[in-house]
Amino acid sequence: MTSSLSLTRNQAKQFLKTLNNPFHKFLSVFQTNASIPQPPKLCVESTSLRHTPHLFEKSPQPDLAQCNGLLFDYSRNNNNKEALNLFLSIHSFGLPVDGSTLSCVLKVCGCLFNVIAGRQVHCQCLKLGLLEDVSVGTSLLDMYMKTENVEDGRRVFDHMGERNVVSWTSLLGGYAQNGMNEEVLELFLTMQMEGIKPNPYTFAAVLGALASEGMVEKGVQVHCLIVKLGFKTVTFVSNSLISMYLRSGMGKDAILVFDGMATKNAVTWNCMISGFVTNGLDFAALETFYDMRLAGVKFTQMTFIPLIKLCANRKELGFAKQLHCRILKDGFNFDPKIKTALMVAYSKCSEINDAFKLFSTMHEAQNVVSWTAMISGHLQNGEIQEAVKLFCLMNKEGVKPNDFTYSTILTAQPAVSPFQIHAQAIKANYEKLPSVGTAILDAYVKLGNIEEAAKAFEQIDERDIVAWSAMLAGYAQIGDSEGATNIFMQLVKEGIKPNEFTFSSVINACASPTAPFEQGKQFHAWSIKSKLSDALCVCSALITMYAKRGNIDNAYQIFRRQQERDLTSWNSMISGYAQHGHAKKALEIFEEMRRENMEMDDITFIGVISACSHAGLVDEGEKYFNVMIVKHRISPTMQLYSCMVDLYSRAGMLDKAMDIINTMPFPAGATVWRTLLAASRVHRHLELGKLAAEQLISLQPQDSAAYVLLSNIYAAAGNWHERRNVRKLMDQRKVKKEAGYSWIEVKNKTHSFLASDHSHPMSYQIYSKLDELKMRLKDMGYQPDTDHVLQDIADEDKETILSQHSERLAIAFGLIATPPRTALQIVKNLRVCGDCHTVIKLISLIEGRDIVVRDTNRFHHFKAGSCSCGDYW
């Protein structure tokens, strides 16, 4: 020991410089001493940080009690770096240490997340034989747990000769901190079996773990034990109970605990406020905040943060500004978490400039959280380019994006490339996290790249229900019901419990025309069994699915059974009736919606005007369009203008349709010109058809519809030369005409047919049935309308072509493959021709069948010789 203390003044000075020791300025005491003399014994109780300089000037060689006192002072005041440097100085001078010294420095290492220094101190403990000291062992265990070295911490615990309640509590707290909540409950039971009586800190750790794991039933049992042991009067234990109950959605139980507390501190009130906000009980949160002020409890940072979140959620700008003023008054305006919360609130209240001003004042406090909040704020306010600029600046400033940053910026399409962000996420090793992986697959889904989305999905390490639902939504978006069903079955096989969003996505996939109809019914039944069929998103998906699959009555029944309806539910029902040609019912739903003062959007009016369009209600369509603009202040979108063009075009009011196109505030899109072109074909307006076709071809040169409709206009006008020129142009540009086909589902199997198709195994029976129908139709006075065959051939050949259209083949198969009186449902990828429409009406009469045909425009319900469209489509 003497040799280690025999340091020269220069050696000591150089060593402390190397350590960047905070006591370097006091080295003047060594200037006249070649060695460090023993100091007199000092009173540790009077030691404080502000007295440290005087203490060292008077005592150049502190004793153990003095060193420990200084070490404890630094630790208590969270000056952890200074505490560690002081310990290194003590060690370098060979000053004696004891269990208290090592316990304190291990705590410091844990706070600094410095496992390297912690392991070195561990070695020192072994060398000095102090591991048997229960306080040292407990501190060592706590250090490993805080630095996320759970296995090392457990080994220390298992080798401890003596364990007390503090050791057990440290172990329980460590497991809880590292998210190993199931182990916490097991250890808590083992602890009691070994005869260790829990203390209040033990209960605080256990309750936190139970809340995180959602095991509130066990939490109630622990609550009983707390009462039994007499700890219910301990404030922080009651705080933990309140937190557990609120995190489990049990607000009434939390209130009972709160009301029963004799002593409440700021943490108690903050737990209540935060819990109420988390559970959406905003009024209760505000009431508690008001009572807290009346009780004279001093507000803290954690009082304001949940209240600011409340303002953000409800977009309460006025109250957010009042809170901001109080924050300034109380001196919390420099707190980074509060500033970030205020930024989020201002962003959600569309005050993005105020949010950016706050961000600009953060300077050194700007971190990845504040950068991400600012990027998200710009995206929420539609400022995509600004968000991308901030993301680039963030990288330039050396702030590394985290998983939330990547998840946020991936929504900035099309300003960012998902491929580039995906590459950055891979480089940063974030692509396997559920949040980032889900955002990546969602970005690919929006691009329509389902293959890359599936690859991103497979890369996610621990796929949560959000990732599964996103993948299902991707398949639903492209109408791949088979892919969606396979993903759903894989999800169930892996033991993941479907939620309402999972069912919503897979049911949406079943709305695809190619999906087996019974499949949608099966998922409906599954959702009922899972007690999720009443969820808003599931109901909306079911309404859409049944409406799109031709069963509008089932859709309406679900709509009526809904206890609560959101905008999507109303829009789905209006659009469903519009597609089925039930304009009157669609408008009745709309008027009911108005009576209930429901907020409307552009989708609502698209459904309403489409309903008017399909029924020829031009005046009503005009009225609702004006109501939308004047009363509801909704700016018409391209799709709404397209609906108005369709309204006038179907009614033959082509001049009015052109007036709409000419007065639009932006250039007409492909949908608008395609609508006008189709109407020009129906009303045989050659010049307007040519104009619409030219515009459509310039916008979408590979769209076959423009060429086909234009050639049909020429054919209808008898201009076969121009028709041939259009067909030649298609060949030159390698544009292929979309083949018309129809399909029908019989006994859970889908059968597809092309015009004049002979590939079906029952082809002979199908054509025999068509011949039979041809004779019966002729007996009823039916004459083929050959004007619908736009080819320069003999009328007899035209009649043959008409009789072999794909929808007739599908109906003939349905008639021979199903029992009498069974309703038939046909889907066609093109518009039903006028002659087939007449024939299907007659077939429904002579065969006594209800026949539903869904074409590209709408549903036709044929029954007893008439159609729901009223021959207006």
Side-chain angles (χ1 to χ4, degrees):
M1 181 68 70
T2 307
S3 60
S4 65
L5 291 175
S6 300
L7 295 173
T8 65
R9 174 192 44 152
N10 291 333
Q11 286 173 323
K13 187 174 181 179
Q14 187 61 40
F15 183 78
L16 288 173
K17 275 184 178 180
T18 305
L19 291 173
N20 191 25
N21 194 288
F23 300 110
H24 171 64
K25 61 181 177 180
F26 308 124
L27 280 176
S28 57
V29 297
F30 295 119
Q31 288 181 356
T32 57
N33 299 285
S35 63
I36 304 172
Q38 292 291 326
K41 188 166 183 172
L42 297 174
C43 180
V44 178
E45 285 79 3
S46 64
T47 304
S48 66
L49 291 177
R50 66 176 181 273
H51 296 142
T52 299
H54 305 290
L55 181 66
F56 267 75
E57 286 171 5
K58 292 178 182 178
S59 304
Q61 184 184 347
D63 66 3
L64 177 61
Q66 181 184 7
C67 289
N68 282 353
L70 290 168
L71 197 61
F72 298 156
D73 270 339
Y74 272 117
S75 177
R76 275 193 298 268
N77 288 275
N78 289 320
N79 295 310
N80 294 309
K81 289 183 180 178
E82 290 82 352
L84 186 58
N85 282 334
L86 174 60
F87 174 74
L88 292 173
S89 299
I90 291 169
H91 178 68
S92 67
F93 286 123
L95 296 176
V97 294
D98 62 4
S100 298
T101 316
L102 295 174
S103 295
C104 182
V105 79
L106 283 167
K107 178 189 172 186
V108 165
C109 292
C111 293
L112 290 172
F113 209 79
N114 191 337
V115 71
I116 296 173
R119 291 190 192 281
Q120 291 174 346
V121 177
H122 187 171
C123 293
Q124 187 73 0
C125 295
L126 284 168
K127 184 178 177 183
L128 297 175
L130 291 173
L131 282 180
E132 295 301 316
D133 186 325
V134 67
S135 65
V136 174
T138 302
S139 297
L140 186 59
L141 156 66
D142 190 56
M143 182 275 296
Y144 279 125
M145 289 297 185
K146 282 181 178 175
T147 54
E148 299 177 3
N149 289 277
V150 179
E151 291 182 5
D152 290 332
R154 182 59 191 261
R155 273 195 290 269
V156 169
F157 178 81
D158 290 340
H159 286 89
M160 288 175 68
E162 180 188 352
R163 301 174 192 148
N164 58 17
V165 65
V166 181
S167 311
W168 279 96
T169 301
S170 291
L171 184 67
L172 288 167
Y175 274 113
Q177 287 167 15
N178 288 277
M180 303 169 73
N181 298 310
E182 292 182 3
E183 288 84 346
V184 173
L185 186 59
E186 291 177 15
L187 285 167
F188 180 64
L189 296 172
T190 306
M191 169 186 176
Q192 293 175 83
M193 288 172 64
E194 292 194 10
I196 304 295
K197 182 182 176 182
N199 67 13
Y201 297 98
T202 315
F203 284 113
V206 172
L207 288 168
L210 292 173
S212 298
E213 203 62 30
M215 295 188 289
V216 71
E217 297 85 1
K218 299 289 184 185
V220 173
Q221 294 175 15
V222 173
H223 189 175
C224 294
L225 186 58
I226 288 168
V227 174
K228 183 179 177 181
L229 295 176
F231 293 140
K232 70 173 185 177
T233 57
V234 179
T235 302
F236 68 82
V237 173
S238 293
N239 292 345
S240 297
L241 280 168
I242 289 169
S243 178
M244 179 197 70
Y245 282 128
L246 285 169
R247 287 170 71 181
S248 303
M250 299 172 67
K252 290 181 180 178
D253 295 271
I255 291 169
L256 286 173
V257 175
F258 178 80
D259 290 342
M261 291 176 68
T263 306
K264 303 181 182 81
N265 57 18
V267 176
T268 313
W269 291 92
N270 292 345
C271 279
M272 291 297 290
I273 293 169
S274 178
F276 283 142
V277 172
T278 302
N279 284 278
L281 303 170
D282 295 341
F283 182 75
L286 293 172
E287 210 171 35
T288 306
F289 175 64
Y290 179 73
D291 291 341
M292 181 181 180
R293 190 179 66 166
L294 289 181
V297 181
K298 190 176 180 182
F299 298 148
T300 69
Q301 290 95 322
M302 292 310 299
T303 310
F304 292 106
I305 290 173
L307 290 169
I308 296 167
K309 287 180 180 177
L310 181 154
C311 295
N313 294 337
R314 297 183 68 91
K315 298 184 179 179
E316 284 286 348
L317 179 61
F319 187 47
K321 289 188 173 181
Q322 289 178 3
L323 287 173
H324 195 173
C325 291
R326 184 58 192 255
I327 287 162
L328 291 167
K329 183 180 178 181
D330 290 354
F332 295 135
N333 53 305
F334 293 107
D335 187 287
K337 290 182 180 178
I338 286 181
K339 278 194 173 183
T340 303
L342 281 168
M343 282 163 47
V344 171
Y346 284 138
S347 296
K348 287 192 175 181
C349 294
S350 303
E351 295 291 333
I352 192 67
N353 292 332
D354 287 341
F356 191 76
K357 284 176 186 175
L358 272 173
F359 177 70
S360 301
T361 62
M362 293 180 74
H363 303 302
E364 290 81 7
Q366 288 176 354
N367 56 20
V368 66
V369 178
S370 56
W371 278 96
T372 303
M374 204 63 245
I375 292 167
S376 178
H378 280 296
L379 287 171
Q380 288 165 7
N381 285 274
E383 298 181 358
I384 296 176
Q385 293 297 336
E386 291 300 319
V388 175
K389 286 178 185 176
L390 271 177
F391 178 74
C392 296
L393 183 61
M394 173 185 178
N395 282 280
K396 190 177 179 182
E397 293 285 334
V399 180
K400 291 184 178 180
N402 63 12
D403 50 335
F404 295 106
T405 318
Y406 286 117
S407 302
T408 301
I409 198 64
L410 278 161
T411 64
Q413 291 190 71
V416 295
S417 165
F419 295 96
Q420 291 179 352
I421 303 299
H422 190 178
Q424 287 187 37
I426 291 171
K427 190 176 179 182
N429 201 28
Y430 280 126
E431 85 283 2
K432 294 183 179 181
L433 290 178
S435 59
V436 179
T438 303
I440 290 168
L441 81 85
D442 187 58
Y444 284 130
V445 164
K446 286 175 181 173
L447 285 179
N449 194 334
I450 200 70
E451 290 181 5
E452 288 298 328
K455 289 178 184 176
F457 177 73
E458 292 299 329
Q459 287 296 311
I460 300 172
D461 275 341
E462 296 179 10
R463 294 188 284 255
D464 56 16
I465 193 64
V466 180
W468 286 97
S469 297
M471 195 66 245
L472 278 167
Y475 282 112
Q477 183 175 306
I478 63 169
D480 185 352
S481 62
E482 185 179 352
T485 302
N486 290 339
I487 286 288
F488 188 91
M489 299 311 295
Q490 186 184 343
L491 172 155
V492 173
K493 190 177 179 181
E494 292 191 16
I496 307 293
K497 188 178 179 181
N499 65 10
E500 61 269 34
F501 303 107
T502 320
F503 279 111
S504 173
S505 295
V506 76
I507 290 168
N508 278 328
C510 293
S512 167
T514 56
F517 183 63
E518 289 301 317
Q519 197 173 67
K521 288 184 176 179
Q522 288 170 4
F523 283 118
H524 184 185
W526 201 332
S527 71
I528 293 171
K529 188 178 178 182
S530 303
K531 297 181 180 179
L532 292 170
S533 59
D534 291 332
L536 270 173
C537 60
V538 176
C539 283
S540 297
L542 285 168
I543 292 168
T544 302
M545 187 268 291
Y546 280 118
K548 287 188 174 180
R549 298 314 307 271
N551 197 332
I552 193 65
D553 293 334
N554 272 11
Y556 182 68
Q557 286 174 18
I558 291 165
F559 177 77
R560 279 292 161 223
R561 283 202 303 265
Q562 278 188 280
Q563 295 178 354
E564 181 187 358
R565 300 187 190 110
D566 61 1
L567 181 59
T568 306
S569 303
W570 290 95
N571 287 350
S572 297
M573 201 64 244
I574 292 170
S575 298
Y577 273 133
Q579 285 179 329
H580 286 263
H582 300 313
K584 185 179 178 182
K585 290 182 178 179
L587 297 181
E588 284 174 0
I589 295 290
F590 176 75
E591 291 302 330
E592 184 183 346
M593 187 180 181
R594 288 177 68 176
R595 287 194 296 272
E596 294 195 15
N597 294 318
M598 283 292 300
E599 186 180 348
M600 301 175 185
D601 62 2
D602 57 322
I603 305 299
T604 312
F605 286 95
I606 287 170
V608 169
I609 297 169
S610 294
C612 295
S613 178
H614 287 302
L617 304 175
V618 177
D619 292 340
E620 287 83 350
E622 287 179 334
K623 180 185 79 173
Y624 288 120
F625 185 75
N626 293 328
V627 165
M628 177 192 74
I629 297 170
V630 176
K631 186 175 180 180
H632 295 278
R633 300 186 183 280
I634 297 173
S635 299
T637 61
M638 181 70 76
Q639 199 169 354
L640 275 162
Y641 279 120
S642 179
C643 288
M644 289 303 293
V645 170
D646 187 54
L647 176 75
Y648 290 128
S649 297
R650 286 179 188 273
M653 303 166 70
L654 299 179
D655 291 339
K656 278 200 169 186
M658 277 305 299
D659 288 342
I660 288 285
I661 293 172
N662 292 329
T663 56
M664 284 168 57
F666 36 73
T671 307
V672 174
W673 291 115
R674 190 179 294 109
T675 300
L676 186 65
L677 178 56
S680 301
R681 152 76 182 89
V682 172
H683 298 289
R684 302 190 179 191
H685 198 304
L686 181 58
E687 292 305 316
L688 199 56
K690 286 170 65 177
L691 171 65
E694 287 170 3
Q695 294 293 332
L696 182 55
I697 290 170
S698 67
L699 291 170
Q700 295 182 347
Q702 294 301 307
D703 182 11
S704 63
Y707 302 92
V708 172
L709 285 169
L710 181 59
S711 70
N712 288 348
I713 291 173
Y714 282 127
N719 193 338
W720 301 108
H721 175 71
E722 289 297 332
R723 179 185 181 278
R724 281 192 291 271
N725 288 339
V726 173
R727 295 289 179 170
K728 281 182 183 178
L729 185 61
M730 287 181 71
D731 292 337
Q732 290 170 5
R733 295 182 176 179
K734 297 180 179 178
V735 177
K736 291 185 178 180
K737 178 187 174 182
E738 184 180 7
Y741 59 92
S742 301
W743 58 93
I744 182 173
E745 185 182 332
V746 176
K747 296 178 182 177
N748 296 327
K749 185 178 179 182
T750 302
H751 301 261
S752 298
F753 298 90
L754 288 165
S756 305
D757 192 354
H758 286 80
S759 62
H760 196 276
M762 295 179 67
S763 182
Y764 177 78
Q765 294 94 320
I766 291 169
Y767 279 93
S768 296
K769 184 65 179 179
L770 284 175
D771 289 339
E772 176 201 325
L773 288 170
K774 186 177 179 181
M775 297 300 295
R776 295 172 71 184
L777 288 168
K778 193 173 182 180
D779 291 341
M780 293 183 71
Y782 161 72
Q783 290 293 324
D785 185 355
T786 56
D787 285 347
H788 291 284
V789 180
L790 301 172
Q791 296 180 39
D792 191 11
I793 55 177
D795 284 348
E796 187 178 337
D797 294 329
K798 288 182 179 181
E799 289 181 17
T800 302
I801 289 172
L802 283 172
S803 68
Q804 297 178 2
H805 273 186
S806 62
E807 56 265 50
R808 299 197 197 187
L809 294 174
I811 290 170
F813 171 72
L815 292 171
I816 61 177
T818 60
R821 303 292 175 183
T822 304
L824 303 180
Q825 186 165 323
I826 315 296
V827 180
K828 184 170 183 179
N829 67 327
L830 300 176
R831 187 177 187 270
V832 175
C833 81
D835 187 66
C836 285
H837 191 268
T838 301
V839 166
I840 299 170
K841 284 196 297 181
L842 295 172
I843 291 174
S844 72
L845 178 63
I846 61 179
E847 289 285 341
R849 300 274 192 133
D850 289 355
I851 303 173
V852 179
V853 178
R854 176 187 179 181
D855 67 6
T856 52
N857 290 333
R858 55 170 297 156
F859 281 89
H860 297 266
H861 292 258
F862 298 94
K863 185 176 183 179
S866 63
C867 179
S868 60
C869 71
D871 297 334
Y872 184 92
W873 84 100

